[in-house]
Short mmCIF file of all heavy atoms in Angstrom, two decimals:
data_model
loop_
_atom_site.label_atom_id
_atom_site.label_comp_id
_atom_site.label_asym_id
_atom_site.label_seq_id
_atom_site.Cartn_x
_atom_site.Cartn_y
_atom_site.Cartn_z
N LEU B 277 83.80 31.18 86.21
CA LEU B 277 83.81 32.44 85.47
C LEU B 277 84.90 33.34 86.03
O LEU B 277 85.07 33.43 87.25
CB LEU B 277 82.46 33.14 85.61
CG LEU B 277 82.32 34.43 84.82
CD1 LEU B 277 81.55 34.18 83.54
CD2 LEU B 277 81.64 35.50 85.65
N ARG B 278 85.62 34.00 85.13
CA ARG B 278 86.69 34.86 85.59
C ARG B 278 86.71 36.11 84.73
O ARG B 278 86.74 36.01 83.51
CB ARG B 278 88.00 34.10 85.43
CG ARG B 278 89.13 34.63 86.29
CD ARG B 278 90.32 33.71 86.20
NE ARG B 278 90.25 32.60 87.15
CZ ARG B 278 90.91 31.46 86.98
NH1 ARG B 278 91.61 31.25 85.89
NH2 ARG B 278 90.83 30.52 87.89
N SER B 279 86.65 37.27 85.33
CA SER B 279 86.74 38.49 84.54
C SER B 279 88.05 39.19 84.86
O SER B 279 88.51 39.17 86.00
CB SER B 279 85.57 39.41 84.85
OG SER B 279 85.83 40.16 86.00
N LYS B 280 88.66 39.77 83.82
CA LYS B 280 89.93 40.50 84.02
C LYS B 280 89.76 41.93 83.56
O LYS B 280 89.54 42.18 82.38
CB LYS B 280 91.04 39.81 83.22
CG LYS B 280 91.63 38.63 83.95
CD LYS B 280 93.00 38.27 83.40
CE LYS B 280 93.44 36.93 83.96
NZ LYS B 280 93.24 35.83 83.02
N LYS B 281 89.82 42.81 84.51
CA LYS B 281 89.82 44.25 84.22
C LYS B 281 88.75 44.67 83.24
O LYS B 281 89.01 45.35 82.25
CB LYS B 281 91.20 44.67 83.68
CG LYS B 281 92.32 44.56 84.70
CD LYS B 281 93.43 45.52 84.37
CE LYS B 281 94.60 45.43 85.35
NZ LYS B 281 94.21 45.55 86.78
N ILE B 282 87.50 44.19 83.46
CA ILE B 282 86.46 44.61 82.52
C ILE B 282 85.92 46.00 82.87
O ILE B 282 85.77 46.35 84.04
CB ILE B 282 85.26 43.64 82.43
CG1 ILE B 282 84.79 43.21 83.81
CG2 ILE B 282 85.51 42.49 81.51
CD1 ILE B 282 83.41 42.62 83.77
N THR B 283 85.66 46.73 81.82
CA THR B 283 85.10 48.06 81.95
C THR B 283 83.86 48.13 81.07
O THR B 283 83.90 47.70 79.91
CB THR B 283 86.11 49.13 81.49
OG1 THR B 283 87.28 49.00 82.29
CG2 THR B 283 85.54 50.54 81.64
N VAL B 284 82.75 48.61 81.62
CA VAL B 284 81.55 48.83 80.81
C VAL B 284 81.21 50.31 80.91
O VAL B 284 81.08 50.85 82.01
CB VAL B 284 80.35 48.00 81.32
CG1 VAL B 284 79.13 48.24 80.45
CG2 VAL B 284 80.71 46.53 81.35
N GLU B 285 81.11 50.92 79.75
CA GLU B 285 80.84 52.37 79.73
C GLU B 285 79.50 52.64 79.09
O GLU B 285 79.13 52.00 78.10
CB GLU B 285 81.91 53.08 78.91
CG GLU B 285 83.21 53.29 79.68
CD GLU B 285 84.26 53.94 78.79
OE1 GLU B 285 84.18 55.16 78.61
OE2 GLU B 285 85.12 53.20 78.27
N PHE B 286 78.75 53.57 79.68
CA PHE B 286 77.53 54.07 79.03
C PHE B 286 77.74 55.55 78.76
O PHE B 286 77.70 56.35 79.69
CB PHE B 286 76.30 53.85 79.93
CG PHE B 286 76.01 52.41 80.18
CD1 PHE B 286 76.05 51.89 81.45
CD2 PHE B 286 75.70 51.57 79.11
CE1 PHE B 286 75.77 50.55 81.69
CE2 PHE B 286 75.41 50.23 79.35
CZ PHE B 286 75.46 49.72 80.64
N SER B 287 77.98 55.89 77.55
CA SER B 287 78.28 57.26 77.10
C SER B 287 79.19 57.98 78.11
O SER B 287 78.83 59.00 78.68
CB SER B 287 77.00 58.06 76.84
OG SER B 287 76.11 57.97 77.91
N GLY B 288 80.33 57.38 78.32
CA GLY B 288 81.35 58.04 79.13
C GLY B 288 81.33 57.65 80.60
O GLY B 288 82.35 57.66 81.26
N PHE B 289 80.14 57.24 81.08
CA PHE B 289 80.05 56.86 82.49
C PHE B 289 80.47 55.40 82.65
O PHE B 289 79.95 54.51 81.95
CB PHE B 289 78.61 57.06 82.98
CG PHE B 289 78.35 56.43 84.32
CD1 PHE B 289 78.90 56.97 85.47
CD2 PHE B 289 77.57 55.28 84.41
CE1 PHE B 289 78.65 56.38 86.70
CE2 PHE B 289 77.33 54.69 85.63
CZ PHE B 289 77.86 55.24 86.79
N LYS B 290 81.41 55.18 83.57
CA LYS B 290 81.90 53.81 83.74
C LYS B 290 81.05 53.09 84.77
O LYS B 290 81.24 53.25 85.98
CB LYS B 290 83.37 53.83 84.16
CG LYS B 290 84.28 54.21 83.00
CD LYS B 290 85.73 54.21 83.40
CE LYS B 290 86.58 54.45 82.17
NZ LYS B 290 87.92 54.94 82.46
N ALA B 291 80.11 52.29 84.29
CA ALA B 291 79.24 51.54 85.19
C ALA B 291 80.04 50.46 85.89
O ALA B 291 79.81 50.13 87.05
CB ALA B 291 78.08 50.94 84.42
N ILE B 292 80.99 49.89 85.16
CA ILE B 292 81.94 48.94 85.76
C ILE B 292 83.33 49.41 85.36
O ILE B 292 83.57 49.73 84.20
CB ILE B 292 81.70 47.50 85.28
CG1 ILE B 292 80.35 46.99 85.81
CG2 ILE B 292 82.81 46.59 85.73
CD1 ILE B 292 80.07 45.56 85.45
N ASN B 293 84.21 49.46 86.34
CA ASN B 293 85.52 50.05 86.10
C ASN B 293 86.62 49.06 86.44
O ASN B 293 86.88 48.80 87.61
CB ASN B 293 85.63 51.33 86.95
CG ASN B 293 86.80 52.18 86.53
OD1 ASN B 293 87.55 51.82 85.63
ND2 ASN B 293 86.95 53.32 87.19
N GLU B 294 87.23 48.48 85.44
CA GLU B 294 88.37 47.57 85.61
C GLU B 294 88.13 46.54 86.72
O GLU B 294 88.91 46.41 87.64
CB GLU B 294 89.63 48.37 85.91
CG GLU B 294 89.92 49.41 84.85
CD GLU B 294 91.41 49.55 84.57
OE1 GLU B 294 92.19 49.37 85.53
OE2 GLU B 294 91.78 49.81 83.41
N LEU B 295 87.06 45.82 86.59
CA LEU B 295 86.68 44.87 87.63
C LEU B 295 87.33 43.51 87.40
O LEU B 295 87.26 42.95 86.32
CB LEU B 295 85.16 44.71 87.66
CG LEU B 295 84.58 43.76 88.70
CD1 LEU B 295 84.67 44.34 90.09
CD2 LEU B 295 83.14 43.44 88.36
N ASP B 296 87.99 43.02 88.45
CA ASP B 296 88.46 41.63 88.45
C ASP B 296 87.51 40.86 89.34
O ASP B 296 87.22 41.27 90.46
CB ASP B 296 89.88 41.55 89.05
CG ASP B 296 90.90 42.10 88.09
OD1 ASP B 296 90.74 41.89 86.87
OD2 ASP B 296 91.84 42.76 88.56
N PHE B 297 87.04 39.74 88.81
CA PHE B 297 85.94 39.09 89.51
C PHE B 297 85.96 37.60 89.19
O PHE B 297 86.38 37.20 88.10
CB PHE B 297 84.64 39.74 89.00
CG PHE B 297 83.39 39.21 89.62
CD1 PHE B 297 83.06 39.52 90.93
CD2 PHE B 297 82.52 38.41 88.88
CE1 PHE B 297 81.89 39.05 91.49
CE2 PHE B 297 81.36 37.94 89.43
CZ PHE B 297 81.04 38.26 90.74
N GLN B 298 85.55 36.80 90.13
CA GLN B 298 85.59 35.36 89.90
C GLN B 298 84.40 34.68 90.57
O GLN B 298 84.01 35.05 91.68
CB GLN B 298 86.90 34.80 90.47
CG GLN B 298 87.07 33.32 90.26
CD GLN B 298 88.44 32.85 90.73
OE1 GLN B 298 89.41 33.59 90.69
NE2 GLN B 298 88.50 31.62 91.20
N VAL B 299 83.82 33.72 89.87
CA VAL B 299 82.74 32.92 90.47
C VAL B 299 83.19 31.46 90.45
O VAL B 299 83.70 30.99 89.43
CB VAL B 299 81.41 33.05 89.69
CG1 VAL B 299 80.31 32.26 90.39
CG2 VAL B 299 81.01 34.50 89.54
N ASN B 300 83.02 30.77 91.57
CA ASN B 300 83.45 29.37 91.65
C ASN B 300 82.28 28.41 91.54
O ASN B 300 81.13 28.79 91.78
CB ASN B 300 84.19 29.14 92.97
CG ASN B 300 85.45 29.96 93.06
OD1 ASN B 300 86.14 30.15 92.05
ND2 ASN B 300 85.74 30.46 94.25
N ARG B 301 82.61 27.19 91.18
CA ARG B 301 81.58 26.15 91.05
C ARG B 301 80.87 25.89 92.37
O ARG B 301 81.43 26.09 93.44
CB ARG B 301 82.23 24.84 90.60
CG ARG B 301 82.57 24.84 89.17
CD ARG B 301 83.14 23.52 88.74
NE ARG B 301 83.50 23.67 87.34
CZ ARG B 301 82.62 23.69 86.35
NH1 ARG B 301 81.35 23.50 86.61
NH2 ARG B 301 83.00 23.88 85.12
N ASN B 302 79.68 25.38 92.28
CA ASN B 302 78.89 24.94 93.44
C ASN B 302 78.85 25.98 94.56
O ASN B 302 79.00 25.65 95.72
CB ASN B 302 79.45 23.62 94.01
CG ASN B 302 79.60 22.58 92.92
OD1 ASN B 302 79.08 22.74 91.81
ND2 ASN B 302 80.30 21.52 93.23
N THR B 303 78.71 27.21 94.17
CA THR B 303 78.73 28.30 95.13
C THR B 303 77.50 29.18 94.94
O THR B 303 77.12 29.46 93.82
CB THR B 303 79.99 29.18 94.91
OG1 THR B 303 81.12 28.34 94.86
CG2 THR B 303 80.14 30.20 96.02
N VAL B 304 76.92 29.59 96.07
CA VAL B 304 75.89 30.64 96.00
C VAL B 304 76.61 31.95 96.25
O VAL B 304 77.08 32.22 97.34
CB VAL B 304 74.78 30.43 97.04
CG1 VAL B 304 73.75 31.54 96.93
CG2 VAL B 304 74.13 29.06 96.87
N HIS B 305 76.73 32.72 95.20
CA HIS B 305 77.56 33.92 95.24
C HIS B 305 76.67 35.16 95.12
O HIS B 305 76.00 35.34 94.11
CB HIS B 305 78.55 33.85 94.07
CG HIS B 305 79.64 34.87 94.13
ND1 HIS B 305 80.93 34.59 93.78
CD2 HIS B 305 79.62 36.18 94.48
CE1 HIS B 305 81.68 35.68 93.92
NE2 HIS B 305 80.89 36.66 94.34
N PHE B 306 76.63 35.97 96.16
CA PHE B 306 75.79 37.17 96.12
C PHE B 306 76.61 38.39 95.76
O PHE B 306 77.78 38.49 96.14
CB PHE B 306 75.13 37.41 97.48
CG PHE B 306 73.89 36.60 97.69
CD1 PHE B 306 73.95 35.32 98.25
CD2 PHE B 306 72.65 37.11 97.32
CE1 PHE B 306 72.80 34.58 98.44
CE2 PHE B 306 71.50 36.37 97.52
CZ PHE B 306 71.57 35.10 98.08
N VAL B 307 75.98 39.30 95.02
CA VAL B 307 76.60 40.60 94.78
C VAL B 307 75.70 41.64 95.42
O VAL B 307 74.51 41.69 95.12
CB VAL B 307 76.74 40.89 93.27
CG1 VAL B 307 77.34 42.27 93.04
CG2 VAL B 307 77.57 39.83 92.60
N ILE B 308 76.26 42.44 96.32
CA ILE B 308 75.47 43.51 96.93
C ILE B 308 76.19 44.83 96.70
O ILE B 308 77.33 44.87 96.21
CB ILE B 308 75.25 43.28 98.45
CG1 ILE B 308 76.59 43.23 99.19
CG2 ILE B 308 74.47 42.00 98.68
CD1 ILE B 308 76.43 43.26 100.71
N GLY B 309 75.54 45.89 97.09
CA GLY B 309 76.13 47.22 96.94
C GLY B 309 75.04 48.24 96.79
O GLY B 309 73.92 47.89 96.46
N PRO B 310 75.40 49.49 97.03
CA PRO B 310 74.38 50.54 96.93
C PRO B 310 73.89 50.70 95.48
O PRO B 310 74.51 50.17 94.55
CB PRO B 310 75.09 51.80 97.40
CG PRO B 310 76.53 51.49 97.38
CD PRO B 310 76.71 50.02 97.45
N ASN B 311 72.81 51.43 95.29
CA ASN B 311 72.29 51.66 93.93
C ASN B 311 73.36 52.29 93.05
O ASN B 311 74.09 53.16 93.50
CB ASN B 311 71.08 52.60 93.98
CG ASN B 311 69.86 51.88 94.52
OD1 ASN B 311 69.75 50.66 94.38
ND2 ASN B 311 68.97 52.62 95.16
N GLY B 312 73.43 51.84 91.83
CA GLY B 312 74.39 52.42 90.90
C GLY B 312 75.79 51.87 91.07
O GLY B 312 76.74 52.37 90.49
N ALA B 313 75.93 50.80 91.85
CA ALA B 313 77.25 50.22 92.07
C ALA B 313 77.71 49.41 90.87
O ALA B 313 78.89 49.08 90.74
CB ALA B 313 77.25 49.36 93.32
N GLY B 314 76.77 49.05 89.98
CA GLY B 314 77.13 48.28 88.79
C GLY B 314 76.78 46.81 88.89
O GLY B 314 77.28 46.00 88.12
N LYS B 315 75.89 46.46 89.82
CA LYS B 315 75.57 45.04 90.03
C LYS B 315 74.85 44.43 88.83
O LYS B 315 75.24 43.39 88.31
CB LYS B 315 74.69 44.87 91.29
CG LYS B 315 75.27 45.51 92.53
CD LYS B 315 74.36 45.34 93.73
CE LYS B 315 73.00 45.99 93.60
NZ LYS B 315 72.96 47.45 93.76
N THR B 316 73.77 45.13 88.43
CA THR B 316 73.01 44.60 87.30
C THR B 316 73.83 44.65 86.02
O THR B 316 73.76 43.74 85.20
CB THR B 316 71.68 45.38 87.16
OG1 THR B 316 70.93 45.19 88.35
CG2 THR B 316 70.87 44.88 85.98
N THR B 317 74.63 45.69 85.89
CA THR B 317 75.51 45.78 84.72
C THR B 317 76.46 44.59 84.66
O THR B 317 76.76 44.08 83.59
CB THR B 317 76.31 47.09 84.75
OG1 THR B 317 75.42 48.16 85.00
CG2 THR B 317 77.05 47.31 83.45
N LEU B 318 76.90 44.15 85.85
CA LEU B 318 77.79 42.99 85.89
C LEU B 318 77.08 41.77 85.29
O LEU B 318 77.64 41.05 84.46
CB LEU B 318 78.21 42.72 87.34
CG LEU B 318 79.08 41.48 87.55
CD1 LEU B 318 80.42 41.65 86.86
CD2 LEU B 318 79.30 41.21 89.04
N LEU B 319 75.82 41.56 85.68
CA LEU B 319 75.07 40.44 85.09
C LEU B 319 74.90 40.66 83.58
O LEU B 319 75.03 39.73 82.78
CB LEU B 319 73.69 40.31 85.75
CG LEU B 319 73.62 39.95 87.23
CD1 LEU B 319 72.20 39.57 87.60
CD2 LEU B 319 74.57 38.82 87.58
#
Side-chain angles (χ1 to χ4, degrees):
Chain B
L277 183 100
R278 201 173 274 157
S279 83
K280 277 200 191 100
K281 294 206 181 308
I282 46 163
T283 301
V284 181
E285 281 177 79
F286 296 118
S287 50
F289 168 71
K290 286 181 174 159
I292 293 183
N293 194 358
E294 304 218 327
L295 180 73
D296 287 323
F297 181 73
Q298 181 174 329
V299 183
N300 296 324
R301 283 183 183 285
N302 309 348
T303 309
V304 180
H305 191 141
F306 277 90
V307 178
I308 61 170
N311 286 333
K315 307 179 298 284
T316 298
T317 311
L318 177 65
L319 295 193

